[in-house]
Amino acid sequence: MKAHPEYYKRMIAAYVIGFAVTEDYLKENPHLKFAEGADDTGVIISWNTESPANEGQKNGVVLPGAISINPINWKRDETYAPAVENLGGYYYDEEKGQMEKVPHVADAKVNLKRGTVITTVKDVPPVTGTDFFGPGSYHEVDYELYFFNLKANVAARVAAYMD
């Protein structure tokens, strides 16, 4: 984007979910900006999802100074979004051997200090690899937990860009 600002002008949004975008990264790349709301364009969007069990634990994908946006209400503050506002997600059902749509699967609240999204998820276990991710990471399902909110958000940002 630095070398080709004309590309950046055409960028609707970069969804780099699960990648820790940090304040330092944005300072080093002042031509980039992180999303502030649901329909701003030319922005970066990311979050890392964790349960409260990861508080104070090491998570290899969460860096100091990380920034996240709430994938339900599209706010960067600590406004809680209950699961009932989650349009739904997908979860791989081991018994059925297929992806299943799960309505209202997770709530979300940004933890500003840690730079993650904290959730309590129904019927979805945290990821394996607790030595690297901590005991309550949902890194492997960052997209899936909020899939239909994400899909609606893409449509809203495209519409805003086209206007």
Side-chain angles (χ1 to χ4, degrees), residues 5-66:
E6 68 275 15
Y7 296 164
Y8 186 67
K9 289 178 185 173
R10 295 191 319 249
M11 184 176 92
I12 296 172
Y15 290 87
V16 294
I17 299 158
F19 178 79
V21 177
T22 65
E23 295 285 354
D24 288 342
Y25 178 81
L26 293 175
K27 285 177 188 169
E28 293 167 10
N29 296 281
H31 57 287
L32 299 176
K33 61 183 178 177
F34 200 89
E36 296 291 335
D39 63 357
D40 46 354
T41 60
V43 295
I44 300 170
I45 297 152
S46 187
W47 65 82
N48 276 289
T49 316
E50 301 181 306
S51 78
N54 255 23
E55 184 70 34
Q57 302 292 320
K58 179 185 177 247
N59 184 336
V61 295
V62 177
L63 301 176

Side-chain angles (χ1 to χ4, degrees), residues 29-137:
N29 296 281
H31 57 287
L32 299 176
K33 61 183 178 177
F34 200 89
E36 296 291 335
D39 63 357
D40 46 354
T41 60
V43 295
I44 300 170
I45 297 152
S46 187
W47 65 82
N48 276 289
T49 316
E50 301 181 306
S51 78
N54 255 23
E55 184 70 34
Q57 302 292 320
K58 179 185 177 247
N59 184 336
V61 295
V62 177
L63 301 176
I67 304 167
S68 285
I69 194 163
N70 188 314
I72 297 176
N73 63 22
W74 303 102
K75 295 181 180 181
R76 286 189 45 201
D77 63 15
E78 294 183 307
T79 302
Y80 174 72
V84 71
E85 293 177 15
N86 185 332
L87 301 176
Y90 277 109
Y91 174 67
Y92 185 76
D93 187 315
E94 296 279 341
E95 290 178 17
K96 295 180 182 178
Q98 65 186 26
M99 295 296 284
E100 294 285 323
K101 182 177 179 182
V102 183
H104 317 299
V105 66
D107 58 0
K109 181 180 178 183
V110 173
N111 177 331
L112 293 173
K113 181 179 175 188
R114 191 161 165 89
T116 60
V117 168
I118 304 300
T119 187
T120 52
V121 179
K122 76 176 181 189
D123 302 327
V124 179
V127 300
T128 57
T130 57
D131 289 343
F132 186 77
F133 294 110
S137 173

